[in-house]
């Protein structure tokens, strides 16, 4: 087990380094120069002073050779210093740290809604034996994935904020201000959970042991609860990493529509301004979250399915759960 | 003695206020007309369409930043949006040397900054010196207004002499801008980045009470303010207790919030939202941005646009009225010259810019551009085809250029659209990597022609010297006499069209949505919001 954990931690560090390096290369290869953008002052129409740009480039170290910038930035990043934002001049760590709590609150509530909704939907769809209801419920997840997030958000605002005035339309903090954006964000994520879980439930229902249980006189509900639920939930658990990705990507749109502060808005504004240090800080944060979630999943996996620990880790041999998860993701 | 002088000043101010009010008239009238006299009190909730970039007036560039920063800082002078004339503000009077190099300002007495320190000639010197230190990167506009700045001399406590090494007639208008607003030493002593954090100290009618980058800015009324500009409609303190600016990027959410009473006024109301706004009793306040209107600027070193005949043929080939009617709506105007109609010194060239495809074809025929099989012209094997670099900085850009594309096709010109992000557009403009580029620029002074077209200005035409044009552009900087300066600015406009350096399309309008309870929200001369006279009714 110790070796398993050590291996996973090393893997996590490697992923972080790769994310830093790849984003560095990609961002610095972009055609636009962040300094002349910052110097343009909102399209002022005045000539951009060459000497002033050179001075600013020196201030941000952009005039040094690329490898030198890279090693310095990597060294600083390891010490927790991500540099200064080019557009606002604030330390990147400060800007990112300030954005995290709001997004964390939003994402947690969204994940809660998504799990409740997704699990209920999947259980209902696989439990019912009425074909029309089953088909109706099975059609909902693809719809949830397909509907654009900004459209859902505007619709919810139109009804609950502009018409009924139950929730603030923008900048909302606290539970009342977070429900609508969390609901918006939860829909595509709940849809993925529902889809993966439903596929897992269906395939588990087809396993011989359920028939044995039913033959012994157990009710469908008891079998679903005692025999089907746990093995079927493994694929849904496996895609936690993907869900985290969806949450972060979705927060860009949701935080913009609901005018909330957070990582999504910070991403959007700093990409628009090509504020490379901030964008890189966000890439690092995102990969850190990914790595942490996947590490947690890897470490919790053996607890849910003892067979995995016996085989020495899930990466050794693809489990059935992962097969289902992959199959569903391809369909999604 | 002081009291009498103040009383006289107040009287003069009141008279100025009455005449200014009479001049404004239309924009302050609200539907119903039962508003009664302005009532003080209340906090106005305003929805910005973009986050302000920095709280420092000197570093402000974008409209949304200026809407906030303008309220906390007073300038030496103010510009009347109706007449374009420069009026007293912190400076009660001024003299300009005959060579337009020396400007002497006599400051009002008794003005204090919000930290209690008095306004003196030292404040003026420290402010301008600090803008100079911020430089063209941190304060591109401020630094451009102070080109050839030598320094400010403190003649006495309330007299400041600003000197330039070369004539700089545009500086008087520049002294009315937000970027050159006078700040207290507490702010000017700080480095650039620390001036962006929302604790800037000015002498304006409002002060910063809260600043959260990318989210909101809260302003509070300055108690005891009594040195408003001659352009303001009333004396004394602002009516509003405070202003709460929130960044609401989604236009549908801004409109919905205004209609549902969660906001009192919003930026960038879209034409398609107007019926919804009007149905809820809100109205649209519009004004034309002064400066260089939207238009096409050719890089004269590349492709078919090297030929002056091609550039001149584009002028009558565009149906500007159709652009406005089809894409934009009634709050927008067709451009009628290289300057927008609200810019002092503007000359109307609409006759010359009239839609006349036959004339455009005639010019191209004469220059030897012959229509090919697909209708696109060619000359010596070169197709009359070029691409336009633009960004979505203004939402209507793409639709307008698509229509321009169709119109140009009628006369045998192929226009290809090259839509890029704003940062990439800036980068490629700076590298002069484009055939023709599409944008606009705001400034309430004809000197913008020199910034945009001057051979030593931004010069996206990449042109060589044209004596008639460059002499006029440089000459207007030395002209103290208003009539002489206007004449030179007119010559410059004519020369810009003559050389086909700018193909004007439409004038940008600001469209501010204001709820029925929001009264007297006004634009200053540079089309930015001024909240001093604004008040809330029935709340």
């Amino acid at each position: 087990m110790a070796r398993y954990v050590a291996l996973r931690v090393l893997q996590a560090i490697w992923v972080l380094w790769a994310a830093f390096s790849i984003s560095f290369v990609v961002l610095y290869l972009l055609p636009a120069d962040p300094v002349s953008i910052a110097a343009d002052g909102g399209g002022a129409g005045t000539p951009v002073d060459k000497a002033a740009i050179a001075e600013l480039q020196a201030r941000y170290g952009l005039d040094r050779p690329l490898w030198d910038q890279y090693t310095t930035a990597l060294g600083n990043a390891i010490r927790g210093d991500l540099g200064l934002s080019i557009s606002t001049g604030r330390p990147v760590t400060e800007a990112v740290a300030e954005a995290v709590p709001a997004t964390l609150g939003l994402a947690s509530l969204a994940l809660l809604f998504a799990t409740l909704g997704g699990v209920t939907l999947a259980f209902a769809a696989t439990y019912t034996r009425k074909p029309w209801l089953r088909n109706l419920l099975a059609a909902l997840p693809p719809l949830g994935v397909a509907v654009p997030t900004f459209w859902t958000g505007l619709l919810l605002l139109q009804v609950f904020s502009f018409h009924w005035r139950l929730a603030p339309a923008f900048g909302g903090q606290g539970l009342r201000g977070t429900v609508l954006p969390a609901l918006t964000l939860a829909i595509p994520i709940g849809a993925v959970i529902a889809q993966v879980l439903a596929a897992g439930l269906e395939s588990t229902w087809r396993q011989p042991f359920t028939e044995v249980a039913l033959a012994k006189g157990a009710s469908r509900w008891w079998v679903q609860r005692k025999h089907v639920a746990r093995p079927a939930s493994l694929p849904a658990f496996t895609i936690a990493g993907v869900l985290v990705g969806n949450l972060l990507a979705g927060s860009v749109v949701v935080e913009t529509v609901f005018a909330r502060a957070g990582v999504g808005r910070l991403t959007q504004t700093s990409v628009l301004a090509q504020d490379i240090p901030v964008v890189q800080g966000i890439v690092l944060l995102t990969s850190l979250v990914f790595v942490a979630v996947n590490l947690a999943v890897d470490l919790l996996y053996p607890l849910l399915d003892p067979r995995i620990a016996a085989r020495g880790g899930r990466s050794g041999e693809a489990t059935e759960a992962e097969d289902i998860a992959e199959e569903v993701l391809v369909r999604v | 003695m002081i009291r009498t002088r103040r009383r006289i000043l107040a009287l003069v101010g009141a008279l100025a206020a009455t005449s200014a009010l009479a001049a404004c008239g239309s924009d302050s009238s609200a539907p119903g007309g039962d508003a009664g006299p302005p009532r003080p009190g209340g906090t106005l909730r305003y929805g910005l369409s973009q986050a302000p970039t920095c709280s420092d007036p000197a570093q402000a560039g974008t409209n949304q930043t200026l809407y906030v920063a303008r309220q906390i800082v007073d300038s030496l002078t103010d510009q009347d949006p109706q007449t374009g004339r420069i009026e007293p503000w912190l400076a009660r009077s001024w003299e300009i040397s005959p060579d337009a190099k020396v400007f002497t300002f006599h400051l009002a007495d008794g003005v204090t900054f919000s930290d209690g320190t008095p306004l003196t000639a030292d404040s003026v010197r420290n402010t301008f010196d600090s803008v100079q230190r911020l430089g063209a990167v941190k304060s591109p506009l401020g630094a451009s207004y102070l080109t050839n700045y030598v320094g400010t001399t403190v003649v006495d406590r309330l007299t400041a002499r600003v000197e330039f090494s070369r004539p700089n007639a545009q500086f008087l208008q520049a002294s009315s801008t937000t970027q050159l607003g006078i700040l207290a030493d507490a702010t000017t002593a700080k480095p650039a980045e620390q001036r962006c954090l929302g604790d800037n100290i000015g002498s304006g009618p409002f002060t910063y009470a809260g600043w959260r980058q990318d989210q909101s800015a809260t302003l509070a009324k300055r108690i005891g303010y009594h040195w408003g500009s001659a352009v303001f409609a009333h004396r004394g303190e602002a009516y509003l207790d405070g202003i709460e600016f929130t960044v609401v990027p989604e236009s549908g959410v801004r409109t919905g919030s205004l209609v549902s009473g969660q906001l009192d006024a919003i930026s960038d109301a879209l034409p398609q939202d107007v019926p919804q706004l009007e149905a809820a009793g809100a109205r649209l306040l519009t004004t034309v941005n002064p400066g260089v209107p939207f238009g096409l600027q050719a890089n004269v070193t590349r492709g078919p646009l090297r030929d002056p005949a091609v550039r001149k043929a584009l002028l009558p080939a565009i149906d500007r009225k159709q652009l406005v009617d089809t894409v934009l709506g009634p709050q927008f105007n067709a451009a009628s010259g290289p300057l927008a109609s609200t810019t002092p010194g503007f000359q109307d060239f609409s006759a010359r810019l009239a839609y006349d495809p036959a004339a455009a074809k005639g010019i191209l025929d004469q220059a030897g551009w012959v229509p090919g099989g697909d209708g696109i012209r060619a000359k010596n094997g070169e197709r009359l085809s070029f691409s336009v670099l633009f960004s979505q900085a203004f939402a209507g850009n793409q639709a307008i250029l698509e229509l321009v594309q169709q119109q140009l096709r009628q006369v045998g010109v192929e226009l290809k659209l090259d839509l890029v992000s704003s940062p990439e557009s800036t980068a490629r403009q700076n590298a002069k990597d484009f055939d023709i580029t599409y944008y606009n620029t705001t400034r309430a002074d004809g000197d913008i022609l020199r910034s945009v077209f001057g051979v030593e200005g931004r010069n996206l035409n990449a042109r060589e010297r044209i004596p008639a044009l460059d002499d006029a552009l440089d000459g207007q900087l030395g002209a103290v006499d208003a009539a002489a300066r206007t004449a030179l600015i007119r010559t410059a406009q004519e020369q810009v069209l003559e050389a086909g350096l700018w193909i004007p399309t439409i004038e940008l309008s600001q469209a501010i949505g204001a709820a029925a309870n929001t009264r007297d929200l006004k634009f200053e001369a540079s089309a930015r919001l001024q909240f001093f006279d604004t008040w809330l009714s029935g709340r």
Side-chain angles (χ1 to χ4, degrees):
Chain A
M1 192 65 186
R3 196 172 151 268
Y4 176 73
V5 173
L7 211 68
R8 287 289 173 278
V9 171
L10 272 181
Q11 215 173 34
I13 292 173
W14 187 86
V15 169
L16 280 180
W17 172 81
F20 180 85
S21 305
I22 292 171
S23 64
F24 187 90
V25 171
V26 170
L27 289 169
Y28 282 82
L29 286 181
L30 283 175
D33 163 23
V35 167
S36 52
I37 293 161
D40 187 49
T46 47
V48 184
D49 183 10
K50 294 259 160 42
I53 287 183
E55 180 203 311
L56 200 70
Q57 280 182 325
R59 194 179 329 176
Y60 292 104
L62 294 168
D63 56 343
R64 287 178 295 147
L66 207 58
W67 63 266
D68 185 16
Q69 291 185 47
Y70 173 75
T71 46
T72 314
L74 186 62
N76 287 344
I78 289 169
R79 286 197 305 273
D81 174 10
L82 297 175
L84 294 180
S85 157
I86 290 175
S87 52
T88 62
R90 295 172 71 205
V92 172
T93 41
E94 195 183 300
V96 172
E98 216 177 85
V100 165
T103 304
L104 198 67
L106 172 70
S108 316
L109 196 61
L111 199 60
L112 181 73
F113 287 160
T115 313
L116 287 177
V119 169
T120 312
L121 188 62
F123 270 63
T126 49
Y127 183 70
T128 179
R129 282 194 283 186
K130 294 187 184 98
W132 68 267
L133 186 59
R134 176 185 291 252
N135 289 341
L136 177 77
L137 293 176
L140 287 178
L143 188 71
V145 174
V147 171
T149 316
F150 72 87
W151 185 82
T152 328
L154 287 177
L155 193 74
L156 288 176
L157 278 176
Q158 191 66 43
V159 175
F160 293 101
S161 180
F162 303 153
H163 191 71
W164 285 340
R165 306 187 188 184
L166 292 173
F170 51 85
Q173 303 296 326
L175 192 62
R176 203 168 70 101
T178 312
V179 168
L180 289 188
L183 214 53
T184 310
L185 188 53
I187 287 173
I189 293 155
V192 172
I193 293 179
Q195 197 141 8
V196 174
L197 190 58
L201 287 168
E202 264 172 40
S203 87
T204 317
W205 269 114
R206 286 196 298 269
Q207 299 276 326
F209 64 81
T210 59
E211 282 176 37
V212 173
L214 286 174
K216 279 184 176 172
S219 73
R220 269 180 72 77
W221 176 238
W222 190 85
V223 175
Q224 171 116 336
R225 218 156 36 92
K226 290 287 175 189
H227 286 296
V228 178
R230 199 156 106 152
S233 65
L234 277 175
F237 192 60
T238 309
I239 59 157
V242 178
L243 293 180
V244 168
N246 282 5
L247 279 169
L248 290 171
S251 74
V252 175
V253 176
V254 171
E255 287 177 357
T256 302
V257 169
F258 289 88
R260 286 173 62 89
V263 178
R265 270 286 287 295
L266 189 65
T267 309
Q268 193 238 3
T269 49
S270 44
V271 167
L272 274 185
Q274 289 205 353
D275 198 333
I276 293 180
V278 182
V279 175
Q280 213 171 7
I282 294 167
V283 169
L284 270 189
L285 173 79
T286 316
S287 25
L288 192 70
V289 171
F290 261 98
V291 163
V293 167
N294 279 297
L295 192 65
V297 170
D298 279 348
L299 297 181
L300 286 173
Y301 228 87
L303 304 180
L304 280 177
D305 188 349
R307 291 175 301 171
I308 292 167
R311 280 203 302 265
R314 73 169 159 137
S315 53
E317 188 187 328
T319 63
E320 193 189 346
E322 283 186 321
D323 283 344
I324 293 172
E326 263 165 38
E327 183 195 324
V328 168
L329 286 178
V330 167
R331 265 194 275 152
V332 167
Chain B
M1 177 62 199
I2 288 172
R3 275 184 62 179
T4 347
R5 200 166 69 194
R6 227 175 243 165
R7 215 173 273 166
I8 292 170
L9 273 177
L11 186 67
V12 172
L15 282 174
T18 329
S19 56
L21 197 65
C24 296
S26 63
D27 71 63
S28 55
S29 69
D34 53 354
R39 262 210 322 250
T43 294
L44 185 135
R45 301 155 303 167
Y46 189 92
L48 295 167
S49 60
Q50 272 174 18
T53 49
C54 169
S55 64
D56 186 9
Q59 298 182 54
T62 66
N63 276 341
Q64 309 301 308
T65 310
L66 286 160
Y67 290 168
V68 181
R70 171 77 279 183
Q71 320 309 324
I72 68 123
V73 70
D74 294 333
S75 299
L76 288 176
T77 62
D78 201 359
Q79 187 176 16
D80 189 314
Q82 260 63 44
T83 62
R85 278 187 44 193
I86 304 301
E87 303 281 351
W89 197 348
L90 291 181
R92 291 307 189 201
S93 62
W94 52 85
E95 292 103 40
I96 307 172
S97 69
D99 60 0
K101 287 182 180 173
V102 183
F103 296 73
T104 309
F105 294 94
H106 303 282
L107 304 177
D109 201 357
V111 176
T112 55
F113 294 105
S114 58
D115 63 354
T117 55
L119 169 88
T120 62
D122 286 299
S123 323
V124 176
R125 186 193 60 203
N126 293 344
T127 297
F128 291 166
D129 286 359
S130 83
V131 170
Q132 185 77 354
R133 266 201 315 278
L134 288 171
V137 168
K138 288 295 178 186
S139 179
L141 289 168
S144 78
Y145 301 155
L146 289 178
T147 311
N148 303 316
Y149 176 71
V150 172
T152 302
T153 312
V154 176
V155 178
D156 61 43
R157 191 172 66 89
L158 292 176
T159 311
R161 198 169 64 215
V162 186
E163 281 179 67
F164 296 90
S165 59
R166 287 169 62 184
N168 195 11
Q170 61 87 30
F171 176 69
L172 185 63
Q173 188 274 341
S175 73
S176 75
T177 61
T178 306
Q179 289 80 14
L180 295 189
I182 308 302
L183 294 157
D185 293 351
T187 294
T188 54
K190 287 184 181 176
E193 283 85 2
Q194 280 178 35
R195 292 174 63 162
C196 287
L197 307 175
D199 54 1
N200 313 61
I201 305 292
S203 64
F206 292 92
T207 59
Y208 280 123
W211 178 274
R212 288 189 296 162
Q213 181 63 43
D214 294 335
Q215 290 175 64
S216 62
T218 314
L219 306 186
K221 168 157 82 175
R222 173 84 193 275
I223 305 297
Y225 182 88
H226 61 80
W227 44 84
S229 95
V231 177
F232 292 172
H234 78 280
R235 302 283 94 198
E237 298 170 1
Y239 292 128
L240 297 169
D241 288 340
I243 311 170
E244 211 175 278
F245 292 95
T246 314
V247 183
V248 184
E250 218 328 287
S251 71
V253 179
R254 283 199 304 280
T255 303
S257 303
L258 183 73
V259 168
S260 64
Q262 299 179 57
L263 289 173
D264 300 309
I266 57 169
S267 290
D268 295 332
L270 297 185
Q272 62 262 35
D273 291 339
V274 172
Q276 201 191 342
L277 290 173
E278 283 173 350
R283 52 203 199 289
L284 205 62
L285 311 175
T286 60
T287 192
V288 171
N289 278 51
V292 175
F294 269 107
L296 298 154
Q297 189 167 17
N299 178 346
V300 302
T301 66
R302 292 213 330 198
L305 290 161
R306 285 181 320 233
D307 184 349
V310 169
R311 305 198 298 267
K312 282 185 80 171
L314 297 180
L315 291 170
I318 294 175
D319 185 351
R320 294 167 180 82
K321 188 174 178 316
Q322 192 189 34
L323 295 182
V324 172
D325 293 349
T326 314
V327 181
L328 297 171
Q331 61 270 32
F332 285 83
N333 301 328
S336 39
L339 284 182
S341 53
T342 45
T343 325
F346 156 78
Q347 185 162 6
D348 189 349
F349 291 97
S350 43
R352 190 144 152 199
L353 294 175
Y355 180 50
D356 189 351
K361 286 180 187 163
I363 298 173
L364 292 171
D365 286 339
Q366 213 165 26
W369 294 91
V370 189
D374 61 351
I376 301 301
R377 292 166 188 264
K379 180 181 177 180
N380 305 330
E382 188 179 18
R383 252 167 90 79
L384 187 36
S385 166
F386 47 84
S387 58
V388 54
L389 175 78
F390 71 107
S391 74
Q392 288 284 39
F394 168 58
N397 281 0
Q398 182 163 5
I400 284 173
L401 287 175
E402 280 168 357
L403 198 48
V404 168
Q405 186 178 40
Q406 289 174 29
Q407 293 173 353
L408 292 187
R409 218 190 146 73
Q410 306 291 315
V411 299
V413 177
E414 183 180 55
L415 181 71
K416 290 182 267 186
L417 304 194
D418 190 1
L419 171 64
V420 297
S421 67
S422 294
E424 196 184 337
S425 162
T426 309
R428 284 186 45 197
Q429 283 184 347
N430 291 342
K432 300 216 162 79
D433 176 20
F434 59 87
D435 296 333
I436 200 162
T437 182
Y438 186 75
Y439 68 99
N440 83 314
T441 297
T442 300
R443 168 99 202 256
D445 189 274
D447 186 56
I448 189 63
L449 293 170
R450 188 183 54 88
S451 306
V452 169
F453 299 107
V455 78
E456 283 163 16
R458 200 159 180 222
N459 189 16
L460 292 179
N461 294 113
R463 68 174 176 88
E464 303 287 313
R465 205 178 135 72
I466 302 172
L469 174 57
D470 286 307
D471 289 350
L473 290 175
D474 294 337
Q476 56 86 23
L477 268 187
V480 179
D481 177 54
R485 185 155 182 252
T486 301
L488 286 166
I489 287 172
R490 294 202 163 155
T491 308
Q493 291 170 65
E494 192 151 344
Q495 289 296 321
V496 164
L497 283 188
E498 191 57 41
L501 299 179
W502 189 258
I503 318 299
T505 56
I506 57 119
E507 295 183 335
L508 177 67
S509 285
Q510 290 302 307
I512 305 293
N517 67 323
T518 304
R519 309 284 175 159
D520 294 346
L521 179 54
K522 290 173 179 171
F523 294 103
E524 41 102 288
S526 303
R528 275 83 190 227
L529 292 174
Q530 175 58 267
F531 289 86
F532 179 77
D533 290 325
T534 309
W535 56 286
L536 293 167
S537 67
R539 249 232 338 263

